[in-house]
């Protein structure tokens, strides 16, 4: 049969988890990472990243809204998915995710955004006209008190919500790694480090994504990028990237040292079917190169021009996002390319215009950016006291 090498059972030839399942952990990772970046300013008082605080929250919300959609499209009967809420099962990881998702969406992210924007929402409900006035009126939830005492309470409650949201973000994405890591029948996935690797790689992608969005939107507004802000973000991105890379290397060294029966099969895949996605995209372009660029900016920051640093940050962010996506691809798709007997291999062919093809995947990647555009128009994330000079040759 075309695309099959060696011996495989018929039920192993078809890959049931497609590119949509790759997108799912990738998008939830962007959510978790963006929220962690926002928490740096709110909880840990990192003043340098303040220009990205609200943008990070809106980015997290935009991607969180889209996060379950790839799963819904993957399901044969998506209309049945709400049943997991009404007939919960404590042993089902997917059912538990449903509750974690709702908790994180409504009790954490939406609440924090509402508390942070409540003053602006009230003022906009009074100054806007037409349909926008109605929208903002609804968003006030009947609360129009914007006295100093009331806003101080909002700030305190928002701080508590952010504090609760940090472990919630870890739980939201860590469970994805838990699902893969708990599948004992697949040696590619079965690793206790899988949830931890997923969490730190999520932080890498989310921080890189917000930094890239901040730089692009600032330039699009004709303003100057706050170099102090992106310097600080890149520093945290660099340190977290090192931890993520170290964990992945630890898992790899552990597998090499054990050299179990599956090792030869996995090693063959890395050198053949997954060579481009893992060695080239994930490890070389998506990990080594951005780490080198970020390292250079850290040790030679004072000697590099601002424009040079910005270009290196932009390149590092794009490469990091590609590398994390390749990592998700290698886990989800790579884990299905070999037989459980380790005697055969199959091939994944991604079609273009099908329910689980390339076109829907592209739409799901672009959809959060469209939602973010609407949210930014509705709730501008730029602080009133934010001072920028119009970019002139920047």
């Amino acid at each position: 049969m075309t695309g099959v090498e060696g011996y495989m059972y018929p039920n192993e030839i078809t890959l049931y988890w497609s590119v949509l399942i790759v997108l799912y952990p990738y998008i939830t990772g962007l959510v978790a990472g963006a929220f962690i970046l926002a928490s740096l300013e709110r909880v840990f008082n990192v003043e340098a990243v303040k220009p990205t605080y609200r943008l990070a929250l809106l980015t997290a919300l935009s991607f969180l809204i889209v996060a379950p959609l790839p799963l819904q499209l993957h399901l044969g009967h998506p209309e049945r998915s709400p049943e997991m809420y009404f007939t919960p099962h404590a042993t089902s990881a997917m059912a538990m995710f449903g509750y974690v998702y709702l908790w994180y969406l409504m009790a954490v992210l939406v609440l924090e955004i509402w508390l942070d924007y409540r003053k602006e929402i009230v003022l906009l409900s009074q100054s806007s006209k037409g349909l926008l006035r109605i929208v903002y009126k609804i968003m006030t939830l009947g609360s129009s008190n914007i006295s100093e005492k009331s806003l101080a309470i909002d700030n305190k409650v928002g701080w508590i919500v952010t504090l609760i949201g940090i472990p919630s973000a870890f739980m939201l994405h860590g469970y994805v790694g838990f699902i893969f890591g708990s599948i004992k029948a697949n040696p590619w996935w079965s690793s206790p480090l899988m949830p931890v690797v997923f969490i730190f790689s999520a932080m890498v992608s989310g921080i890189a994504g917000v930094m890239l969005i901040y730089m692009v939107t600032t330039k699009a507004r004709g303003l100057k990028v706050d170099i102090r802000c992106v310097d600080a973000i890149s520093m945290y991105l660099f340190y977290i990237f090192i931890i993520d890379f170290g964990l992945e290397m630890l898992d790899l060294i552990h597998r090499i040292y054990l050299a179990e029966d599956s090792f030869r099969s996995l090693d063959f895949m890395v050198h053949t079917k997954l060579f481009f996605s893992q060695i080239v995209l994930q490890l070389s372009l998506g990990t080594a190169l951005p780490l080198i660029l970020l390292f250079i900016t850290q040790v030679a920051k004072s000697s590099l021009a601002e424009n040079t640093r910005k270009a290196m940050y932009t390149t590092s962010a794009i490469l990091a996002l590609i590398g994390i996506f390749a990592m998700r691809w290698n886990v989800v798709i790579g884990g299905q390319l070999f037989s459980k007997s380790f005697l055969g291999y199959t091939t994944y062919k991604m079609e273009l215009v099908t329910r689980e093809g390339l076109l829907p995947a592209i739409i799901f990647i672009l959809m959060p950016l469209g939602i973010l555009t609407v949210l930014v128009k509705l709730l501008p994330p730029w602080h009133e006291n934010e001072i920028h000079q119009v970019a002139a040759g920047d």
Side-chain angles (χ1 to χ4, degrees):
M1 182 175 293
T2 304
V4 176
E5 303 173 16
Y7 178 80
M8 300 191 74
Y9 289 106
N11 64 327
E12 296 177 324
I13 294 174
T14 303
L15 273 66
Y16 295 100
W17 287 358
S18 66
V19 66
L20 295 186
I21 309 302
V22 176
L23 278 182
Y24 170 64
Y26 185 67
I27 292 176
T28 56
L30 290 167
V31 174
F35 187 86
I36 295 302
L37 177 59
S39 69
L40 289 177
E41 193 277 333
R42 190 62 177 267
V43 176
F44 301 102
N45 299 317
V46 182
E47 190 68 21
V49 301
K50 188 174 183 179
T52 63
Y53 168 65
R54 287 182 164 183
L55 181 62
L57 289 178
L58 295 181
T59 300
L61 179 60
S62 302
F63 280 91
L64 189 62
I65 292 172
V66 178
L69 297 185
L71 286 182
Q72 294 292 320
L73 192 60
H74 173 75
L75 295 174
H77 288 278
E79 72 280 0
R80 297 179 183 175
S81 58
E83 294 181 9
M84 70 180 182
Y85 293 110
F86 306 118
T87 57
H89 201 292
T91 60
S92 171
M94 289 305 298
M96 291 303 103
F97 162 73
Y99 291 102
V100 171
Y101 175 82
L102 287 181
W103 161 262
Y104 190 72
L105 175 65
M106 302 304 297
V108 175
L109 199 51
V110 171
L111 179 58
E112 180 175 352
I113 292 174
W114 183 78
L115 289 170
D116 192 71
Y117 274 98
R118 196 174 69 83
K119 178 182 177 181
E120 286 87 341
I121 292 173
V122 172
L123 294 175
L124 287 168
S125 69
Q126 297 169 354
S127 61
S128 300
K129 297 181 180 179
L131 181 60
L132 273 179
R133 184 183 181 90
I134 298 174
V135 171
Y136 287 123
K137 278 286 185 182
I138 295 173
M139 292 174 66
T140 63
L141 300 180
S143 177
S144 59
N145 183 1
I146 53 174
S147 63
E148 290 186 8
K149 183 178 179 180
S150 177
L151 294 177
I153 294 174
D154 288 348
N155 186 60
K156 185 175 182 179
V157 174
W159 185 88
I160 295 173
V161 170
T162 306
L163 191 63
I164 297 173
I166 295 173
S168 299
F170 288 156
M171 187 164 53
L172 174 72
H173 193 66
Y175 108 96
V176 181
F178 169 79
I179 289 180
F180 285 105
S182 60
I183 301 179
K184 301 176 183 178
N186 194 314
W188 188 273
W189 298 336
S190 183
S191 169
L193 283 176
M194 189 68 72
V196 184
V197 170
F198 264 64
I199 289 173
F200 278 93
S201 61
M203 294 170 65
V204 170
S205 63
I207 293 175
V210 174
M211 181 172 70
L212 183 62
I213 291 172
Y214 167 71
M215 296 179 72
V216 170
T217 53
T218 303
K219 294 287 288 185
R221 293 162 59 219
L223 302 176
K224 185 177 180 180
V225 173
D226 188 336
I227 190 62
R228 178 169 169 260
C229 174
V230 291
D231 279 342
I233 294 175
S234 68
M235 180 186 67
Y236 288 104
L237 176 61
F238 176 62
Y239 292 147
I240 294 173
F241 216 150
I242 289 177
I243 297 174
D244 175 50
F245 178 68
L247 288 171
E248 292 191 33
M249 290 301 100
L250 179 62
D251 180 54
L252 176 61
I253 293 171
H254 182 256
R255 292 177 185 273
I256 294 174
Y257 180 76
L258 287 180
E260 296 178 335
D261 295 339
S262 61
F263 179 75
R264 181 176 296 180
S265 179
L266 301 181
D267 181 66
F268 173 80
M269 280 211 314
V270 169
H271 287 86
T272 54
K273 295 180 177 294
L274 297 180
F275 180 82
F276 179 75
S277 61
Q278 185 161 43
I279 304 300
V280 178
L281 285 184
Q282 180 184 342
L283 296 179
S284 300
L285 295 179
T287 301
L289 185 53
L291 274 176
I292 293 172
L293 292 175
L294 291 172
F295 175 76
I296 293 173
T297 59
Q298 297 305 308
V299 299
K301 185 179 299 182
S302 58
S303 61
L304 294 173
E306 285 191 12
N307 287 342
T308 302
R309 298 210 303 274
K310 291 173 187 176
M312 295 175 75
Y313 293 152
T314 302
T315 304
S316 300
I318 294 173
L319 291 176
L321 290 170
I322 293 173
I324 300 301
F325 181 82
M327 179 265 186
R328 303 292 191 262
W329 174 279
N330 294 326
V331 169
V332 176
I333 302 300
Q336 303 176 82
L337 293 180
F338 59 94
S339 67
K340 293 181 175 61
S341 62
F342 313 125
L343 297 176
Y345 307 89
T346 188
T347 301
Y348 173 62
K349 181 181 179 181
M350 181 169 55
E351 298 180 348
L352 178 60
V353 187
T354 58
R355 191 179 70 176
E356 300 191 44
L358 179 60
L359 182 60
I362 294 174
I363 292 174
F364 283 134
I365 284 291
L366 297 178
M367 192 179 297
L369 300 179
I371 296 174
L372 179 60
T373 302
V374 175
L375 290 178
V376 166
K377 294 289 185 181
L378 195 63
L379 301 171
W382 332 114
H383 289 274
E384 293 179 2
N385 60 350
E386 182 185 12
I387 300 175
H388 284 293
Q389 295 178 349
V390 176
D394 181 48

